[in-house]
Each structure stands twice: as C-alpha cells, then as structure tokens.
Amino acid sequence: MLKGKKILIGVSSGIAIYKVLNLISSLRKKGAEVEVIMTKSATRFINPITFETISNNKVYTDMFIHPDKVLHVDITNDVDLFLIAPATANTIAKVYAGIADNLLTTAILASKAPVAFAVSTNTNMLLNPITQRNINGLMDLGYDFIDSNEGQLACNTVGKGRMAEPEEILEFIEYKLTKKDLSGQKVIIASGPTISKMDPVRFITNYSSGKTGYQLAKNARNRGAEVVYITGRVSTPKLDLVKNIKVETNVDLKDAIEHEFYNSNALIMAAAPVDYEFETTSDQKIKKSTDIVNYTLKKSMDILQYFGNKKANQKIIGFAAETENVLENANKKLVKKNADYIIANDVSKKNAGFNVDTNIITVIGKNKQKEYPILSKNEVANIILDLLVK
C-alpha cells in the first residue's frame, strides 16, 4: 500500500530519534520513498550521514544551502505525508504559534500535504496546559497526532511521553495513505479457530492461526470499511479502530456474527469452526481411568451455510482449506453454502498451510475462477477485499 508513496520526515531533537532510523528502513522495504529534514539540534544526536544512508536520499538541514530554489516550498510539493518524528514540545509550540525560524517549521507552514506529529517529550512538559493547548489547537486545525506511550523516559522517570514504536507509526502511515475504496461498507471478518470443550481443562480445536483474518481486518479498516473483527483463539493482536469481539465456541461465533449480520454489507468467514463437537461437556475435570476411552462427537452446525441462507444483499466469502480435490470440493462448497466466493487453498502445499505468512489461493465465484501464485497474506487479503469494491 505504500509503494510509490513519498514520505517527508521532519526530525527534531529528542532521544527517540534512534527509532526513526528503524521506521525509515521499514518504509523503504514497503516501497516508499523517504526524504528527511533535520533541525540543527537533531544533528547533535545523530549525524545526517546516518539518515542519508538509511533513506538513500539527501538530508536537508539548512534552508539556505540551495540558493537556486525555494527549498522549504519545493521539498513539500510532491509529498504524500509529512511526518514530524520525534515531535518535541518545542516544535509543536512553534508550529501552533506560526513561528518559522528553521527549515523544518518553515516547511510545515508551507506544506499542502497532510502533517502528522509523533509526540516525544517529558511527561511534565506533555501534561503542561500550554502543550495540551498547542496539541488540541493543531488537531482542531486538521493536523494529526500519533499519541505517545507510557514508559521509561530519558529523564529517568516513568510516564507518558515516550514516542510510539516504529511499527505503531508505520500502522498509522499505512492507514492514512491507503485509498478508502471500502468507505461506507460494514464488513464482518471472522478469524481463527473455535474450540469444543471436553471438560474445564481440555478441548479440541484446529491449527488455524488467524493470520489471514488479521490481515483482512487490518486492510479492510485501512481501506475505509467499518470492521467487526471476531476472533477465536488467535495469537494475533487486537486492532485499533475496529470492533473487536472474542469468541471460543461455535455457538459464540454464530451468535456474534448474527448480532451484526443484518445491517452489514459482507461477511468474510476466515474463521475455522470445529467440524465436530463433544456431545456432552463435563463440569469437572475428567480423571484418568483406563488406557482407552471413548467420547461421542456430534457434527457441528454449518455457520457459513447458515448465513449463506440468511443473506439478503450481503456478500458472503468463505474458505476451503483442502488437502485433495481442492477445486472440486471448493466448487461444491460454493453452491452448498450459497456463498458469493470461496477462497480455495491446498494446505498440504509448502508455505500454503496453517501458521505461515504466505498462501497459494484460487478465488472461485459463480462466473469466476482465478488461481494466484504464492503471495504474502497481506497481498491475499487485498485480493479478497477487492471482491467487495463496488
């Protein structure tokens, strides 16, 4: 989503400056072009050569070093996002007051690109009413702020003011710069495995990791959808700016979907409900008795088929994780579940099964069948979400 985007990073002086190096590296790996402005004070923390090496671009520190052009205007002309990181209380105050006494603050005033501040400051300075007024005033004017975290600060105190981690800032940038082609749509994304309990300490489940569902929910959010993110037992983190719902059993999953389904635009069933459940569940831990024990399993309710039969104008997308006759089984599933699309994959293939970061899929619809090569789950998620674009 960042390929071809141009990010201008304004670096003011703060100990969090070292985090910006990792951020630039991550941005470049995602295909973004990065340019850097440093204040004079920032160059006392890190030599500009370091930023030039990481960004593979010239670093600007002086407004008058290029007399043949108006640098503070030219440098912002073709920028997609102007990020100030670290954004100190001093720089924030200058911008709010309209002070343009260095290249960075002058460029901010000249910028037509969206500007975001990644706050980094001492707790007392952050909580000072003057700083709070400056932040709130800039937000009212349309500037974005990436909130700081609590933690150990350079002044040997613990509190708010620690600049957000590079991965958090990267998430903000991806969200900010992603085309909102799913705006106005409510999308339910169910992810990960469910369980069936034998007793309070034992259960059956499957190998689903929830990684595909996580990428689907994250990318749908970034593309402007209202996302309801329903997860079973997954190791993936919660997502900001979506409705997070945790479930355990098939009944939990069905009830959570049904509560949101009738005013939604789409259901993407990336969850892996257990196919069979214990007929009875013990309230107490079952003690070991003999070497061989028998338990009765019953077939679980087919949640995808249930909602396929309930749909009105919703799009239903399901998955077929198979080990043989993949396309044949997926096409049968498409008809039986009354789905709009089935995403088929052979989980026996290398790098296409559970708990990996890649997949090999075939998208099957009523009048469509397209096979894709091995892709990252991020790429797979966007291919699936493209099916929802009106």
Side-chain angles (χ1 to χ4, degrees), residues 100-156:
D101 63 349
N102 60 32
L103 177 58
L104 175 57
T105 54
T106 307
I108 293 171
L109 289 183
S111 177
K112 291 183 179 179
V115 177
F117 296 84
V119 178
S120 175
T121 186
N122 166 268
T123 304
N124 293 340
M125 295 173 70
L126 175 64
L127 298 179
N128 188 293
I130 297 173
T131 304
Q132 290 298 303
R133 177 205 64 192
N134 296 338
I135 291 173
N136 291 328
L138 286 171
M139 289 175 68
D140 289 342
L141 292 171
Y143 291 88
D144 288 307
F145 277 79
I146 303 167
D147 200 10
S148 59
N149 297 327
E150 290 194 16
Q152 183 77 30
L153 304 177
C155 52
N156 293 321

Side-chain angles (χ1 to χ4, degrees), residues 7 71 78 146 172 189 267 325 352:
I7 317 295
L71 183 59
D78 56 349
I146 303 167
F172 167 84
I189 296 169
L267 167 63
N325 303 322

Side-chain angles (χ1 to χ4, degrees), residues 280-296:
T280 59
T281 299
S282 173
D283 292 333
Q284 303 296 325
K285 180 183 175 183
I286 299 171
K287 302 297 182 183
K288 286 189 285 188
S289 55
T290 59
D291 291 338
I292 298 175
V293 293
N294 294 306
Y295 294 98
T296 302

Side-chain angles (χ1 to χ4, degrees), residues 85-351:
T88 61
N90 181 55
T91 295
I92 292 168
K94 284 183 179 182
V95 177
Y96 183 63
I99 295 172
D101 63 349
N102 60 32
L103 177 58
L104 175 57
T105 54
T106 307
I108 293 171
L109 289 183
S111 177
K112 291 183 179 179
V115 177
F117 296 84
V119 178
S120 175
T121 186
N122 166 268
T123 304
N124 293 340
M125 295 173 70
L126 175 64
L127 298 179
N128 188 293
I130 297 173
T131 304
Q132 290 298 303
R133 177 205 64 192
N134 296 338
I135 291 173
N136 291 328
L138 286 171
M139 289 175 68
D140 289 342
L141 292 171
Y143 291 88
D144 288 307
F145 277 79
I146 303 167
D147 200 10
S148 59
N149 297 327
E150 290 194 16
Q152 183 77 30
L153 304 177
C155 52
N156 293 321
T157 61
V158 176
K160 190 93 168 169
R162 183 183 176 94
M163 191 177 85
E165 297 304 313
E167 56 269 22
E168 294 173 306
I169 299 174
L170 184 63
E171 275 224 355
F172 167 84
I173 294 171
E174 288 182 317
Y175 174 77
K176 187 73 178 176
L177 296 185
T178 299
K179 182 181 178 182
K180 303 298 185 280
D181 56 358
L182 293 178
S183 180
Q185 293 203 50
K186 178 179 177 179
V187 181
I188 303 168
I189 296 169
S191 176
T194 61
I195 67 170
S196 177
K197 296 179 182 179
M198 185 174 80
D199 61 24
V201 297
R202 303 180 184 93
F203 57 85
I204 57 172
T205 188
N206 55 63
Y207 287 114
S208 175
S209 64
K211 288 185 175 183
T212 298
Y214 175 80
Q215 287 297 335
L216 281 163
K218 178 181 173 181
N219 292 1
R221 175 203 67 185
N222 289 354
R223 292 171 68 164
E226 175 191 349
V227 177
V228 179
Y229 182 38
I230 304 172
T231 54
R233 293 204 166 208
V234 296
S235 57
T236 50
K238 286 177 66 176
L239 279 169
D240 293 329
L241 305 178
V242 307
K243 185 174 184 179
N244 290 276
I245 301 173
K246 293 290 292 183
V247 298
E248 285 201 329
T249 66
N250 283 11
V251 172
D252 296 339
L253 177 60
K254 180 256 183 187
D255 289 347
I257 294 172
E258 190 147 40
H259 186 71
E260 305 285 346
F261 182 73
Y262 300 104
N263 66 346
S264 70
N265 299 96
L267 167 63
I268 302 179
M269 193 67 171
V274 289
D275 294 315
Y276 291 90
E277 303 171 281
F278 288 106
E279 191 169 49
T280 59
T281 299
S282 173
D283 292 333
Q284 303 296 325
K285 180 183 175 183
I286 299 171
K287 302 297 182 183
K288 286 189 285 188
S289 55
T290 59
D291 291 338
I292 298 175
V293 293
N294 294 306
Y295 294 98
T296 302
L297 297 174
K298 62 179 182 179
K299 191 175 182 180
S300 302
M301 173 188 182
D302 192 320
I303 298 174
L304 181 62
Q305 185 174 341
Y306 175 84
F307 288 105
N309 292 330
K310 291 276 187 179
K311 72 177 182 179
N313 298 314
Q314 297 92 342
K315 280 187 178 177
I316 304 284
I317 300 176
F319 285 71
E322 304 286 347
T323 57
E324 59 182 357
N325 303 322
V326 175
L327 299 183
E328 179 185 345
N329 290 331
N331 274 287
K332 287 179 180 177
K333 197 170 190 178
L334 179 75
V335 176
K336 183 179 179 182
K337 315 292 186 181
N338 196 28
D340 294 279
Y341 298 97
I342 293 293
I343 312 303
N345 68 307
D346 185 342
V347 295
S348 67
K349 288 183 178 179
K350 184 179 180 181
N351 297 320

Side-chain angles (χ1 to χ4, degrees), residues 2 4-8 33 76-82 113-115 176-177:
L2 295 180
K5 299 294 185 182
K6 184 174 179 180
I7 317 295
L8 178 61
E33 180 187 354
T76 64
N77 274 342
D78 56 349
V79 168
D80 294 290
L81 179 69
F82 193 171
V115 177
K176 187 73 178 176
L177 296 185

